[in-house]
Amino acid sequence: DAGVIQSPRHEVTEMGQEVTLRCKPISGHNSLFWYRQTMMRGLELLIYFNNNVPIDDSGMPEDRFSAKMPNASFSTLKIQPSEPRDSAVYFCASTPDSSYEQYFGPGTRLTVT
Amino acid sequence: RKEVEQDPGPFNVPEGATVAFNCTYSNSASQSFFWYRQDCRKEPKLLMSVYSSGNEDGRFTAQLNRASQYISLLIRDSKLSDSATYLCAVMGNTGGFKTIFGAGTRLFVKA
């Protein structure tokens, strides 16, 4: 069975550039989460969706970050413009309504120079 | 104060040792509790859920103390393969699945 799929796995970009991270949740999972992980701040919830609708975006750092979920099988997290402090590993996770277990993707390691 | 706090460690223990991790949470209305394991440069994976009555899975035992607002994880007879970062996670009571993770506790098990 395919797990949560994220792309790209690694992204190196220059400050000011737009970055788009992609996620395909596990089929049949109704909730999707975007997290950011750094050594300093740990694993932070940025936003989560239920049935494609954003439920809580209180963790989104600022207007430079935006997330969409146009359908049940695809979500994007966009950073525009990117800054060096955005460097982190970004995880996507999904959860079925029948369980609270979160299934994480392999993450996207973002480096902004 | 962070919503979920853990001792960052690292914990360095020999094989066969028993090690315990604690995690405190600030929202007294939190409903669900979990321990996740994260290997170096990998994603977190669920280790076990934590129930009010406590639960055990092989060498791992999880406990919840609602009065003191902490959860614990006990690993008995630790193995080299237990070396990882252990994250506690707390789900609130606001509806939906919003989950807050602790920063994690690093464990190194040595031969």
Side-chain angles (χ1 to χ4, degrees):
Chain A
D1 288 342
V4 175
I5 298 172
Q6 291 186 246
S7 65
R9 295 292 305 277
H10 301 273
E11 177 81 30
V12 180
T13 191
E14 291 183 349
M15 182 174 63
Q17 297 298 306
E18 177 179 295
V19 175
T20 299
L21 311 182
R22 298 173 175 79
C23 176
K24 177 179 169 58
I26 293 172
S27 178
H29 284 196
N30 303 95
S31 294
L32 182 142
F33 305 77
W34 282 102
Y35 291 92
R36 176 173 68 178
Q37 187 174 41
T38 61
M39 288 292 292
M40 291 297 294
R41 301 175 68 89
L43 191 64
E44 301 174 280
L45 177 65
L46 301 176
I47 185 172
Y48 84 94
F49 297 83
N50 184 256
N51 292 324
N52 312 339
V53 176
I55 303 300
D56 187 329
D57 66 354
S58 59
M60 294 286 264
E62 49 199 88
D63 291 346
R64 297 185 299 107
F65 285 68
S66 62
K68 294 181 179 179
M69 191 164 186
N71 57 62
S73 59
F74 184 65
S75 177
T76 59
L77 178 68
K78 186 177 294 187
I79 308 172
Q80 167 62 20
S82 57
E83 297 181 2
R85 60 190 169 125
D86 301 330
S87 298
V89 180
Y90 290 81
F91 287 105
C92 175
S94 67
T95 301
D97 276 355
S98 58
S99 162
Y100 296 139
E101 177 178 356
Q102 299 206 5
Y103 295 78
F104 283 78
T108 295
R109 186 170 296 273
L110 174 65
T111 303
V112 183
T113 61
Chain B
R1 181 185 174 190
K2 292 183 179 179
E3 290 187 65
V4 179
E5 295 202 68
Q6 292 183 251
D7 182 342
F11 284 53
N12 293 286
V13 303
E15 270 188 297
T18 295
V19 61
F21 306 135
N22 286 331
C23 169
T24 59
Y25 59 95
S26 61
N27 183 353
S28 60
S30 297
Q31 295 294 318
S32 303
F33 309 88
F34 312 90
W35 283 102
Y36 281 74
R37 171 190 168 128
Q38 186 173 23
D39 293 298
C40 188
R41 301 180 78 85
K42 298 287 189 180
E43 70 273 20
K45 292 184 179 179
L46 182 68
L47 178 65
M48 57 198 304
S49 300
V50 187
Y51 304 118
S52 297
S53 55
N55 47 303
E56 188 173 308
D57 182 3
R59 297 181 295 108
F60 298 83
T61 301
Q63 296 268 342
L64 167 64
N65 185 317
R66 285 190 182 273
S68 300
Q69 295 181 210
Y70 79 82
I71 62 174
S72 63
L73 177 68
L74 184 76
I75 305 176
R76 291 181 299 277
D77 189 23
S78 52
K79 312 291 185 190
L80 294 175
S81 57
D82 294 334
S83 297
T85 296
Y86 291 84
L87 304 162
C88 67
V90 176
M91 183 179 293
N93 68 330
T94 55
F97 298 92
K98 182 173 181 176
T99 302
I100 306 298
F101 283 80
T105 299
R106 295 199 70 184
L107 172 66
F108 294 100
V109 181
K110 304 169 293 183

